[in-house]
Amino acid sequence: MATQVITGRDVSLSFSGSLGTDIDAQALSATLTKTIDRQTYQTLDGEAYKTTNVSATFALEMLADWGKTSSVCEALWTACDSAPDTDITITLVSATGASFSFPIKPSYPTVGGSGMDAQTVTYEFLVTGGAVTETFS
């Protein structure tokens, strides 16, 4: 079977609601990380394991889009001001059809820049309850 290489350009990204319509064009990187907190117990029979928590985070780095129609930065800032504990659903889909959907809590975007570099914003979102729904095709 031939190796299939998937690049970041093979991933599409969408937010629920009115959080911007041009996220793929603005995104520089998007990383979903799901982690298991597993305890290990040394019993008389050997090791025993117990998963005590599953958590997830979503990191997004994108070009700043302040002032743009349907700005993601402005929509997230407004969401933080008005409803910081309300979930926003994110969906990541790869070119192979694998899909990951998960609720996040909004985070304020970073603001600033340096010299002649493009302005970027970096987000680290908490995935609510570590809940990620995945569909592999």
Side-chain angles (χ1 to χ4, degrees):
M1 177 174 213
T3 300
Q4 182 169 8
V5 177
I6 302 169
T7 70
R9 291 185 177 160
D10 295 322
V11 174
S12 66
L13 176 65
S14 63
F15 284 72
S16 65
S18 60
L19 288 181
T21 56
D22 201 16
I23 299 165
D24 290 347
Q26 299 295 111
L28 301 173
S29 68
T31 305
L32 172 65
T33 303
K34 193 169 181 180
T35 306
I36 293 176
D37 182 7
R38 181 179 297 123
Q39 303 297 312
T40 304
Y41 303 99
Q42 299 296 330
T43 70
L44 297 177
D45 285 341
E47 291 185 346
Y49 304 96
K50 174 67 178 168
T51 297
T52 57
N53 190 38
V54 176
S55 62
T57 58
F58 177 63
L60 174 65
E61 183 179 9
M62 59 180 273
L63 295 169
D65 65 351
W66 301 102
K68 180 178 175 241
T69 302
S70 298
S71 166
V72 175
C73 293
E74 292 172 16
L76 282 168
W77 194 284
T78 301
C80 286
D81 281 347
S82 63
D85 295 325
T86 301
D87 287 338
I88 299 165
T89 300
I90 294 184
T91 303
L92 279 168
V93 180
S94 76
T96 61
S99 174
F100 303 86
S101 184
F102 46 94
I104 62 160
K105 300 293 186 207
S107 293
Y108 285 106
T110 55
V111 181
S114 62
M116 296 184 59
D117 294 338
Q119 287 187 12
T120 60
V121 294
T122 303
Y123 299 96
E124 184 74 28
F125 297 106
L126 172 66
V127 176
T128 306
V132 177
T133 301
E134 55 279 317
T135 305
F136 303 114
S137 56

